[in-house]
Amino acid sequence: MRTASDFSPLYRSSIGFDRIFNLLENAPQPVETWPPYDIERSDENSYRVRIAVAGFSEDDLDISHEPNLLIVSGERKEQDEVEYLHRGLPVRPFTRRFELADHMTVTGASLDNGLLTIDLVREVPEEMKPRRITIAKDDGARKAGQVEKPKQAA
């Protein structure tokens, strides 16, 4: 399935972003709107997802974190046989998927007043953080264009 966007010019000047371009090209077109949710960013590396899940308990919800994917699903267990005169609360089963960037981890989840809150943090390993590379200076012993003499075996 192709979208109207063509990312081929970006492939020529970008290295290692294939996953992002594939996500954009293969993004699902019909968007599921239930349950409603918010995504908040509190600082550069901290995020929070809030999902409105009125009528669901902690036992009805499942949160799983896979590499680069957060899956939240809910299925309400049927309670006692009740005869509803009107049923307006949408308590149908759902699955909501969130694509995550690299190094995202779930740090906690809570359910309060019908809102499921999931906290996420980006924890970039120290070896992957940007670092400054110093340029070695010439010690001045050699002059420009001068080639060292090969050392002779003793």
Side-chain angles (χ1 to χ4, degrees):
M1 177 166 123
R2 296 282 297 172
T3 60
S5 301
D6 181 19
F7 297 106
S8 57
L10 296 173
Y11 280 111
R12 292 190 293 259
S13 61
S14 303
I15 300 170
F17 291 95
D18 303 354
R19 183 175 168 274
I20 293 171
F21 298 140
N22 289 338
L23 283 172
L24 292 171
E25 285 180 344
N26 298 322
Q29 297 306 317
V31 177
E32 178 67 35
T33 59
W34 194 83
Y37 65 93
D38 291 335
I39 300 175
E40 307 168 6
R41 182 171 73 181
S42 55
D43 65 35
E44 187 176 333
N45 293 314
S46 298
Y47 298 85
R48 178 171 284 158
V49 178
R50 291 183 196 262
I51 305 173
V53 290
F56 288 87
S57 70
E58 290 92 346
D59 295 333
D60 298 333
L61 299 168
D62 183 55
I63 303 169
S64 62
H65 179 214
E66 299 174 10
N68 300 1
L69 187 63
L70 174 67
I71 302 172
V72 180
S73 58
E75 184 171 0
R76 189 164 177 209
K77 278 77 172 171
E78 283 300 319
Q79 297 175 347
D80 297 330
E81 189 66 34
V82 177
E83 180 182 350
Y84 288 97
L85 301 178
H86 171 74
R87 188 159 193 177
L89 292 176
V91 289
R92 64 181 182 266
F94 71 90
T95 299
R96 174 73 70 181
R97 299 175 188 277
F98 299 94
E99 295 286 338
L100 301 177
D102 294 333
H103 313 295
M104 293 294 290
T105 58
V106 176
T107 59
S110 63
L111 181 63
D112 187 36
N113 293 331
L115 284 177
L116 175 64
T117 303
I118 304 168
D119 295 314
L120 301 120
V121 173
R122 181 188 351 245
E123 296 174 340
V124 179
E126 195 63 37
E127 62 271 5
M128 300 201 62
K129 291 183 179 176
R131 59 187 174 106
R132 185 164 180 83
I133 309 297
T134 58
I135 300 172
K137 294 185 179 182
D138 194 6
D139 61 359
R142 293 186 298 154
K143 294 182 180 174
Q146 182 179 1
V147 178
E148 284 187 26
K149 241 177 23 177
K151 298 187 182 197
Q152 298 197 354

